[in-house]
Short mmCIF file of all heavy atoms in Angstrom, two decimals:
data_model
loop_
_atom_site.label_atom_id
_atom_site.label_comp_id
_atom_site.label_asym_id
_atom_site.label_seq_id
_atom_site.Cartn_x
_atom_site.Cartn_y
_atom_site.Cartn_z
N SER V 1 1.43 -0.22 -10.94
CA SER V 1 2.78 -0.63 -11.31
C SER V 1 2.82 -1.12 -12.76
O SER V 1 1.90 -1.81 -13.20
CB SER V 1 3.27 -1.75 -10.40
OG SER V 1 3.32 -1.32 -9.06
N PRO V 2 3.88 -0.79 -13.49
CA PRO V 2 4.01 -1.31 -14.85
C PRO V 2 4.28 -2.81 -14.85
O PRO V 2 4.74 -3.36 -13.84
CB PRO V 2 5.21 -0.54 -15.40
CG PRO V 2 6.03 -0.20 -14.19
CD PRO V 2 5.04 0.03 -13.09
N ASP V 3 3.98 -3.46 -15.95
CA ASP V 3 4.29 -4.89 -16.08
C ASP V 3 5.80 -5.06 -16.25
O ASP V 3 6.45 -4.26 -16.94
CB ASP V 3 3.58 -5.49 -17.28
CG ASP V 3 2.08 -5.53 -17.12
OD1 ASP V 3 1.62 -5.61 -15.96
OD2 ASP V 3 1.37 -5.48 -18.13
N PRO V 4 6.38 -6.07 -15.63
CA PRO V 4 7.81 -6.34 -15.86
C PRO V 4 8.05 -6.79 -17.29
O PRO V 4 7.38 -7.69 -17.78
CB PRO V 4 8.13 -7.45 -14.85
CG PRO V 4 6.82 -8.07 -14.53
CD PRO V 4 5.79 -7.02 -14.68
N GLU V 5 8.99 -6.15 -17.96
CA GLU V 5 9.24 -6.43 -19.38
C GLU V 5 10.52 -7.20 -19.62
O GLU V 5 10.66 -7.85 -20.66
CB GLU V 5 9.27 -5.11 -20.16
CG GLU V 5 7.94 -4.35 -20.13
CD GLU V 5 8.01 -3.03 -20.88
OE1 GLU V 5 9.12 -2.67 -21.33
OE2 GLU V 5 6.97 -2.36 -21.00
N THR V 6 11.47 -7.14 -18.71
CA THR V 6 12.74 -7.84 -18.89
C THR V 6 12.76 -9.11 -18.06
O THR V 6 11.98 -9.26 -17.10
CB THR V 6 13.92 -6.94 -18.45
OG1 THR V 6 13.80 -6.69 -17.03
CG2 THR V 6 13.89 -5.61 -19.21
N ILE V 7 13.64 -10.01 -18.38
CA ILE V 7 13.74 -11.25 -17.62
C ILE V 7 14.16 -10.95 -16.18
O ILE V 7 13.67 -11.60 -15.23
CB ILE V 7 14.72 -12.25 -18.29
CG1 ILE V 7 14.69 -13.59 -17.54
CG2 ILE V 7 16.13 -11.68 -18.36
CD1 ILE V 7 13.34 -14.26 -17.49
N GLU V 8 15.02 -9.95 -15.98
CA GLU V 8 15.43 -9.59 -14.62
C GLU V 8 14.24 -9.08 -13.81
O GLU V 8 14.07 -9.45 -12.64
CB GLU V 8 16.54 -8.54 -14.65
CG GLU V 8 17.86 -9.03 -15.21
CD GLU V 8 17.90 -9.05 -16.74
OE1 GLU V 8 17.01 -8.41 -17.37
OE2 GLU V 8 18.79 -9.71 -17.29
N ALA V 9 13.41 -8.24 -14.43
CA ALA V 9 12.24 -7.70 -13.73
C ALA V 9 11.24 -8.81 -13.41
O ALA V 9 10.62 -8.82 -12.34
CB ALA V 9 11.58 -6.61 -14.57
N LYS V 10 11.08 -9.75 -14.33
CA LYS V 10 10.14 -10.86 -14.09
C LYS V 10 10.64 -11.77 -12.97
O LYS V 10 9.86 -12.24 -12.14
CB LYS V 10 9.95 -11.65 -15.38
CG LYS V 10 9.19 -10.87 -16.46
CD LYS V 10 9.13 -11.63 -17.78
CE LYS V 10 8.40 -10.81 -18.83
NZ LYS V 10 8.37 -11.49 -20.15
N LEU V 11 11.94 -12.01 -12.94
CA LEU V 11 12.50 -12.86 -11.88
C LEU V 11 12.38 -12.18 -10.52
O LEU V 11 12.06 -12.83 -9.52
CB LEU V 11 13.95 -13.19 -12.19
CG LEU V 11 14.18 -14.18 -13.34
CD1 LEU V 11 15.64 -14.18 -13.77
CD2 LEU V 11 13.73 -15.59 -12.95
N LEU V 12 12.64 -10.88 -10.47
CA LEU V 12 12.50 -10.15 -9.21
C LEU V 12 11.04 -10.17 -8.76
O LEU V 12 10.75 -10.40 -7.58
CB LEU V 12 12.98 -8.71 -9.36
CG LEU V 12 12.82 -7.85 -8.09
CD1 LEU V 12 13.70 -8.37 -6.97
CD2 LEU V 12 13.12 -6.39 -8.38
N PHE V 13 10.13 -9.92 -9.67
CA PHE V 13 8.70 -9.96 -9.35
C PHE V 13 8.33 -11.31 -8.76
O PHE V 13 7.69 -11.39 -7.71
CB PHE V 13 7.89 -9.68 -10.62
CG PHE V 13 6.40 -9.69 -10.41
CD1 PHE V 13 5.72 -8.50 -10.20
CD2 PHE V 13 5.68 -10.88 -10.42
CE1 PHE V 13 4.34 -8.50 -10.00
CE2 PHE V 13 4.31 -10.89 -10.22
CZ PHE V 13 3.63 -9.70 -10.01
N ASP V 14 8.74 -12.38 -9.43
CA ASP V 14 8.38 -13.72 -8.96
C ASP V 14 8.99 -14.01 -7.60
O ASP V 14 8.31 -14.56 -6.71
CB ASP V 14 8.86 -14.77 -9.97
CG ASP V 14 7.96 -14.86 -11.20
OD1 ASP V 14 7.08 -13.98 -11.36
OD2 ASP V 14 8.16 -15.78 -12.00
N ALA V 15 10.25 -13.66 -7.41
CA ALA V 15 10.89 -13.93 -6.13
C ALA V 15 10.20 -13.18 -5.00
O ALA V 15 9.99 -13.71 -3.91
CB ALA V 15 12.37 -13.55 -6.19
N ASP V 16 9.83 -11.94 -5.25
CA ASP V 16 9.15 -11.14 -4.24
C ASP V 16 7.78 -11.73 -3.91
O ASP V 16 7.37 -11.77 -2.75
CB ASP V 16 8.99 -9.70 -4.75
CG ASP V 16 8.51 -8.75 -3.68
OD1 ASP V 16 9.08 -8.77 -2.57
OD2 ASP V 16 7.57 -7.97 -3.95
N LYS V 17 7.06 -12.22 -4.90
CA LYS V 17 5.74 -12.81 -4.65
C LYS V 17 5.86 -14.17 -3.95
O LYS V 17 5.05 -14.51 -3.09
CB LYS V 17 4.96 -12.98 -5.97
CG LYS V 17 4.76 -11.69 -6.72
CD LYS V 17 4.10 -10.62 -5.86
CE LYS V 17 4.47 -9.21 -6.27
NZ LYS V 17 5.82 -8.81 -5.92
N LEU V 18 6.88 -14.94 -4.32
CA LEU V 18 7.09 -16.23 -3.67
C LEU V 18 7.47 -16.07 -2.20
O LEU V 18 7.30 -17.00 -1.41
CB LEU V 18 8.16 -17.02 -4.42
CG LEU V 18 7.72 -17.58 -5.77
CD1 LEU V 18 8.93 -18.01 -6.60
CD2 LEU V 18 6.76 -18.75 -5.59
N GLU V 19 7.96 -14.90 -1.84
CA GLU V 19 8.28 -14.61 -0.44
C GLU V 19 7.02 -14.55 0.42
O GLU V 19 7.11 -14.50 1.65
CB GLU V 19 9.01 -13.26 -0.35
CG GLU V 19 10.49 -13.35 -0.11
CD GLU V 19 10.82 -13.67 1.32
OE1 GLU V 19 10.80 -12.78 2.18
OE2 GLU V 19 11.08 -14.85 1.61
N ALA V 20 5.85 -14.52 -0.21
CA ALA V 20 4.59 -14.52 0.52
C ALA V 20 3.90 -15.88 0.43
O ALA V 20 2.69 -15.98 0.60
CB ALA V 20 3.67 -13.43 -0.02
N THR V 21 4.66 -16.92 0.14
CA THR V 21 4.11 -18.26 0.01
C THR V 21 4.96 -19.26 0.78
O THR V 21 6.08 -18.95 1.18
CB THR V 21 4.04 -18.70 -1.47
OG1 THR V 21 5.38 -18.78 -2.00
CG2 THR V 21 3.24 -17.71 -2.30
N GLY V 22 4.44 -20.45 0.96
CA GLY V 22 5.18 -21.48 1.69
C GLY V 22 5.21 -21.19 3.19
O GLY V 22 4.49 -20.34 3.70
N ALA V 23 6.05 -21.91 3.92
CA ALA V 23 6.12 -21.77 5.37
C ALA V 23 6.56 -20.38 5.79
O ALA V 23 5.95 -19.74 6.65
CB ALA V 23 7.08 -22.82 5.93
N ARG V 24 7.62 -19.90 5.19
CA ARG V 24 8.10 -18.56 5.52
C ARG V 24 7.08 -17.51 5.12
O ARG V 24 6.88 -16.51 5.80
CB ARG V 24 9.44 -18.30 4.82
CG ARG V 24 10.22 -17.14 5.43
CD ARG V 24 11.44 -16.81 4.57
NE ARG V 24 12.31 -17.94 4.34
CZ ARG V 24 13.39 -18.20 5.07
NH1 ARG V 24 13.69 -17.43 6.10
NH2 ARG V 24 14.15 -19.23 4.77
N GLY V 25 6.41 -17.75 4.00
CA GLY V 25 5.42 -16.80 3.52
C GLY V 25 4.24 -16.65 4.47
O GLY V 25 3.71 -15.54 4.63
N ILE V 26 3.81 -17.73 5.09
CA ILE V 26 2.70 -17.65 6.04
C ILE V 26 3.07 -16.74 7.20
O ILE V 26 2.28 -15.88 7.62
CB ILE V 26 2.32 -19.06 6.55
CG1 ILE V 26 1.69 -19.87 5.42
CG2 ILE V 26 1.36 -18.96 7.74
CD1 ILE V 26 1.50 -21.34 5.75
N VAL V 27 4.27 -16.90 7.72
CA VAL V 27 4.73 -16.04 8.81
C VAL V 27 4.80 -14.58 8.34
O VAL V 27 4.36 -13.65 9.04
CB VAL V 27 6.11 -16.49 9.33
CG1 VAL V 27 6.64 -15.53 10.37
CG2 VAL V 27 6.02 -17.90 9.90
N ARG V 28 5.31 -14.38 7.14
CA ARG V 28 5.45 -13.03 6.62
C ARG V 28 4.10 -12.37 6.38
O ARG V 28 3.91 -11.19 6.67
CB ARG V 28 6.28 -13.07 5.33
CG ARG V 28 6.65 -11.70 4.82
CD ARG V 28 7.73 -11.75 3.77
NE ARG V 28 7.82 -10.43 3.18
CZ ARG V 28 7.18 -10.05 2.07
NH1 ARG V 28 6.43 -10.93 1.42
NH2 ARG V 28 7.28 -8.82 1.62
N LEU V 29 3.14 -13.11 5.85
CA LEU V 29 1.81 -12.56 5.63
C LEU V 29 1.15 -12.18 6.95
O LEU V 29 0.45 -11.17 7.04
CB LEU V 29 0.95 -13.56 4.87
CG LEU V 29 1.30 -13.78 3.40
CD1 LEU V 29 0.44 -14.88 2.81
CD2 LEU V 29 1.14 -12.49 2.58
#
């Protein structure tokens, strides 16, 4: 995958990765 270059791409990347963390993330993993 290419690196995210725009602020929108970086925010989407971060939100998607954070979805695999925390309480909800444990269930999702």
Side-chain angles (χ1 to χ4, degrees):
S1 299
D3 293 332
E5 297 179 354
T6 64
I7 186 59
E8 292 80 16
K10 291 175 181 178
L11 288 167
L12 178 65
F13 180 96
D14 283 10
D16 190 48
K17 302 305 152 287
L18 287 165
E19 256 283 280
T21 64
R24 198 188 305 264
I26 291 170
V27 175
R28 188 166 169 266
L29 289 175

